[in-house]
Amino acid sequence: MALYDNNNIGEEARQILAAQAHIWNHTFNYINSMSLKCAIQLGIPDIIHSHGQAMTLSNLVNSLPINNINGTTRDYIYRLMRILIHAGFFVQTNSINKEENDEEEGGYLLTPTSRLLIKDEPLSLVPFVQWILPDWSDEDCIKILRKCKEAIPNKENGGKVIIIDMVLMNQKGDHKAYETQLFMDMLTMVHPSGKERSQQEWAKLFSSSGFNDYKKYRD
């Protein structure tokens, strides 16, 4: 593989390099989710949150529920945090670790995104990793919703069904949010009849299940 100095190459070569990087990024995009899963299993968001301030790498490694095998854990965690910082799950600040010869060491902080991964966070996404209705066909969803309707009081007595799920929007919306929805829709294809639904499709499900109206929150 040839090495290029990006400042001394032509526009055509720069476009080729950018195209190659784009393909590689998509090929290895699964590493982002694997890295996030690893951080959650290690309890890193909760550990940093409990620390109450920017947490150095040394303190983070010492707080993890794992053994420092052959002294390599520090390097592994550093590399794990590096990719998660790049992905926007954590930020790094400059702090002084006076316990290690006054060596300057970055401190890790949570972002609004990683705060949703804290176990005690009211809006935590950890308990909601398995949504229900996208795994089922329209016919099965109608059966599920009708059973829900039978189990609740009527509307006048406060009966309601709360659904936490995704509404597939059109491409004119936020690019990142739309990309997330496309990923989720592709994921539902592991179920023969699964799919994400647009607002019109949700409305049709509710109507066919016997619900007269609905409200949508957090557009």
Side-chain angles (χ1 to χ4, degrees):
M1 177 182 293
L3 296 178
Y4 295 94
D5 183 348
N6 199 47
N7 295 321
N8 298 318
I9 62 176
E11 182 61 28
E12 182 178 356
R14 187 175 291 106
Q15 290 178 358
I16 292 175
L17 289 176
Q20 290 177 337
H22 186 66
I23 291 174
W24 281 113
N25 287 347
H26 276 277
T27 301
F28 293 112
N29 194 48
Y30 69 93
I31 294 177
N32 281 325
S33 57
M34 290 176 60
S35 300
L36 180 60
K37 178 183 178 181
C38 181
I40 293 173
Q41 290 179 331
L42 289 173
I44 290 178
D46 289 285
I47 291 172
I48 295 176
H49 176 68
S50 298
H51 191 66
Q53 59 183 340
M55 192 172 195
T56 63
L57 176 61
S58 299
N59 288 335
L60 177 59
V61 171
N62 291 334
S63 300
L64 293 175
I66 56 176
N67 295 323
N68 190 2
I69 304 174
N70 298 325
T72 58
T73 301
R74 179 187 174 94
D75 179 60
Y76 292 158
I77 297 301
Y78 166 76
R79 291 154 68 182
L80 174 66
M81 295 302 292
R82 180 173 60 184
I83 191 172
L84 292 174
I85 288 171
H86 180 72
F89 289 101
F90 301 97
V91 293
Q92 189 172 23
T93 63
N94 291 328
S95 61
I96 301 296
N97 183 1
K98 295 185 178 181
E99 297 178 358
E100 294 190 359
N101 300 323
D102 290 333
E103 178 185 357
E104 186 175 27
E105 185 179 352
Y108 299 117
L109 290 169
L110 301 180
T111 64
T113 302
S114 53
R115 286 187 177 278
L116 295 178
L117 303 175
I118 300 172
K119 291 181 180 178
D120 294 333
E121 165 64 37
L123 297 179
S124 175
L125 295 180
V126 175
F128 300 111
V129 292
Q130 292 184 344
W131 296 344
I132 303 301
L133 297 180
D135 296 342
W136 300 89
S137 67
D138 289 347
E139 292 76 13
D140 288 327
C141 284
I142 291 172
K143 293 178 182 178
I144 294 171
L145 290 172
R146 283 177 176 172
K147 289 294 183 181
C148 292
K149 191 173 188 301
E150 293 174 2
I152 61 174
N154 56 37
K155 182 178 179 180
E156 290 71 21
N157 292 323
K160 65 176 64 174
V161 175
I162 299 176
I163 299 173
I164 301 175
D165 222 310
M166 179 180 293
V167 177
L168 191 62
M169 64 183 184
N170 57 46
Q171 194 170 356
K172 295 180 180 179
D174 178 80
H175 173 75
K176 285 295 183 181
Y178 183 63
E179 185 177 41
T180 300
Q181 293 174 355
L182 293 180
F183 285 154
M184 295 297 292
D185 185 55
M186 294 297 293
L187 184 61
T188 62
M189 291 173 66
V190 300
H191 303 280
S193 302
K195 66 174 182 178
E196 296 294 346
R197 294 175 173 86
S198 66
Q199 184 168 345
Q200 291 74 21
E201 290 172 319
W202 280 113
K204 183 178 180 181
L205 279 185
F206 299 148
S207 176
S208 299
S209 304
F211 292 92
N212 297 324
D213 59 6
Y214 67 94
K215 293 181 180 180
K216 180 168 70 78
Y217 299 95
R218 294 184 67 85
D219 190 356

